[in-house]
Structures are given as structure tokens and as C-alpha cells.
Amino acid sequence: MDSVTTPGLDGPPAALPRPSSIDWLAMVVVAGVTVAAYGPMVYGVIRLSTRTTQALNAFVLLGFAAVEAFVSVHRVHPFRLQVTPHGIVLFSASCMALAVASLSGLWPLAVLGLCFNIASLLSFGFGREGTRFFHPALAGLGCAVALLVFVPRFDLLLRLTAARGSAVALNLVGFQTQVVAQQDPFGVNLVVERGLSVFNVATECNGFGIILSSVVLVVLVSARRAYPWVLRVGLALAAVGMGLVFNTLRIVAISLASMNTMLDYTLIHEGLGTLVYMAALAAVWSLVRLAKPRQLPDETRDGPVGGERRPTV
């Protein structure tokens, strides 16, 4: 008896329909609008992120999240170029957000528009369901870009906060420290032991890089675990506080090491800075993992069959 091949089971998978000229045209138009409309903002964000290594590391986290999303979505939603109503709606929302931002000066709307625009391109390639895999990475990107756009406005405040916190810590461990600020040009210095050592708290030391990476990590993990929005906001605020604390520890550790060792200052600055940065991310990750939302009553009841409990995430 001849063997029978069951379509969809033993036979080769059905070939996906080839994209039409309309699909290609829509993709080219949306991609062109993305580059033309958001290129200057993205370039400015790249320039701002180069001010501190920790800020660049935040985009490394986003890169890993995007790659993981591509690997996951390819298993269930293979790439197929097709114009979808979902993608059209996202692109329209992007254009509207950008227009309102341009007229009103509310640039956070432009950041939102950038995320909508990227989501529309993903929808054209993976469909509505496939785009869901990229929601954590898109949320993290939006937070990172928004924070970087506003970093020049908070640089002075962050530097003063870092200097004052570090001075308090150094005084507690026995090193008399004063904060000396100058206005033109603006600068913040830590003067230790009556001028024996002077440390400049530059823009690279304002803690923004640690704060940015911590917030992005919170957004990525909490989005993947589907935490309630109230919990997500609370964890993001906690990440900001932890970033400030760890940046203070970083400055104190570098100051103490440089005053008590003969090691090269560059080695101390980069080595201890990296260790404290990694410790900050580990602490934030642990906080997000431990901060599980309160279970609903029906999530702990016995299951319908055999008294098994329902799995919880």
C-alpha cells in the first residue's frame, strides 16, 4: 500500500505568500519616514549616551532584549512582509504624536511616536501577535530615549546630589570633606582633608548612567513578567533611588581607593566603577524578581483535576 502524506503534518510546510508590491511600498514609506522624522532625535540621543559608559550599557541591555524577542517570535510567527491594519494604526498614531509634539513642544510625545513607528514596522513583518514579543524592548527603548532627552536639564542637580551624598559618607568614615561648587563654568568638587585631595564630580559621575540602566532593567523584567502598572512604576522609582545610592558608593569607593593606594587612578576609576555598576544591576534585578504581585485568591486554590495546584508565574 502506498504511503499517504498528510498535508500540514508529514509533508513540507505550506509556502508563505510572497509580499506584494503594495507591501514593499508601504514598508519603504514607513522606513523612510522613520529615518527622516526621527533621525535627528536618535542622533542626539546617541551623542548624549556617549557621555557615560553606563548609559551605553543600557542600550546593550536593550539589544539583548531585542535579539531575544527576535529569536522567540521566529518560532511562532515567522517573518512575512504584509501590510496589516494593526501596523497602519500604529503608523498613524506615530505621525499624530510627532505632529502634536512639533506644534506643542511636548517632546515626550515624539519619543512615544518613535516607539509606535518601530512597532508598526514590526507589525508589517510579524503581525499583531508577533509584535507583542517586542513590547518589553520597546518600553525599555522609550524610557531610555526619554531619560536621555532630559539629562541635560538634570545634570547639575544630579552632580550636586552625588557630591553632597558622597561628602556625607566620607565624613562618616573619618575624612573631613566639603563640597565646593563654582558657577561659571559650572563645576562641583569634593575637597577632602583641607585640600589634601580634590575630586571633580563631572557629568560622567552624576549617576545618570547607573540610573538609566537600572530603570531600563526594571522595565524589561517587569514587562516580561506582566507586573501591574502600579508595581512597575514603584519599581522604577525604587531603581532611581538605588541608582543614586550606588553612584554615591561608587564615588566614595574611588575616592578612598585613590587616597589609600598607589594604583593608577584610571585603573581605580574604571575598575571600581564597573564593579559598583554591576553590583547595582544585580541589586535591581534581585528587587524586581522578588517583588512579585499579590496572588489572587483563585490562583492558590486546588485545580479542577486531582487536586493539582494551578501554576503561577
Side-chain angles (χ1 to χ4, degrees), residues 268-280:
I268 294 175
H269 186 275
E270 298 301 325
L272 281 179
T274 301
L275 289 177
V276 174
Y277 173 77
M278 298 303 296

Side-chain angles (χ1 to χ4, degrees), residues 151-227:
V151 65
R153 302 182 183 182
F154 296 103
D155 175 50
L156 307 185
L157 177 61
L158 287 174
R159 289 164 68 181
L160 284 173
T161 301
R164 290 169 180 170
S166 301
V168 171
L170 287 170
N171 284 321
L172 289 176
V173 297
F175 290 88
Q176 296 300 316
T177 306
Q178 293 181 337
V179 177
V180 178
Q182 62 184 33
Q183 295 298 328
D184 191 18
F186 183 84
V188 181
N189 296 304
L190 292 175
V191 180
V192 185
E193 297 291 345
R194 299 181 183 273
L196 181 63
S197 299
V198 179
F199 299 96
N200 178 30
V201 182
T203 299
E204 294 79 5
C205 303
N206 64 9
F208 178 77
I210 297 179
I211 293 173
L212 175 61
S213 297
S214 299
V215 172
V216 167
L217 183 60
V218 165
V219 171
L220 293 176
V221 178
S222 60
R224 285 183 57 85
R225 297 171 70 86
Y227 282 173

Side-chain angles (χ1 to χ4, degrees), residues 299-310:
E299 289 180 338
T300 56
R301 295 175 183 172
D302 291 340
V305 179
E308 297 179 354
R309 293 186 179 274
R310 298 179 183 178

Side-chain angles (χ1 to χ4, degrees), residues 293-301 312:
R294 185 178 302 175
Q295 290 183 342
L296 297 177
D298 60 348
E299 289 180 338
T300 56
R301 295 175 183 172
T312 58

